[in-house]
Amino acid sequence: MRRRRFSNADVGAAYGREDPGQRGTMTKLAQWLWGLALLGSTWAALTVGALGLDLPSSCREVLWPLPAYLLVSAGCYALGTVGYRVATFHDCEEAARELQSQIQEARADLARKGLRF
């Protein structure tokens, strides 16, 4: 059985980068953090009145619990996505057969070397 060694370029390409040492691109975490910081600062500026806007009281009543609503909505979306993916998950029969043949090949190789199961 032949094993393939992965180089850093292969690993970098798997994450969408040609050169793993490449700088200047934002990771997904950095993008999410920037987005959350932007939304959070906008929310804070609107709720404390830092922009000088005179918002009606009904808008202020909606603005205060907005982060909690967004957090609950994101949780529901994540739960729904996971549930959908689990419900539509399909078996890979060909991959299972290939894996079983590799297991049999490895067992035969180890048995030739004197290992008993």
Side-chain angles (χ1 to χ4, degrees):
M1 182 177 350
R2 188 176 144 237
R3 290 189 179 175
R4 181 172 182 238
R5 296 272 182 200
F6 291 100
S7 68
N8 286 339
D10 292 332
V11 174
Y15 289 104
R17 296 182 303 199
E18 291 301 319
D19 179 19
Q22 178 180 346
R23 301 277 184 223
T25 58
M26 291 181 71
T27 62
K28 271 297 184 199
L29 176 62
Q31 290 175 358
W32 277 98
L33 290 176
W34 272 106
L36 288 174
L38 182 66
L39 285 173
S41 61
T42 304
W43 173 81
L46 286 173
T47 55
V48 298
L51 299 177
L53 298 174
D54 190 25
L55 295 175
S57 63
S58 60
C59 288
R60 287 181 190 252
E61 289 175 6
V62 171
L63 275 176
W64 277 108
L66 189 63
Y69 293 147
L70 291 177
L71 187 64
V72 169
S73 298
C76 290
Y77 173 75
L79 188 61
T81 301
V82 169
Y84 174 76
R85 301 287 176 160
V86 167
T88 60
F89 185 78
H90 63 281
D91 294 331
C92 301
E93 297 296 329
E94 183 179 328
R97 284 190 299 271
E98 180 182 349
L99 183 59
Q100 287 296 328
S101 69
Q102 289 176 355
I103 290 172
Q104 293 301 325
E105 183 181 326
R107 282 188 176 177
D109 184 45
L110 289 174
R112 277 189 308 236
K113 293 181 180 179
L115 184 67
R116 284 194 251 171
F117 296 96

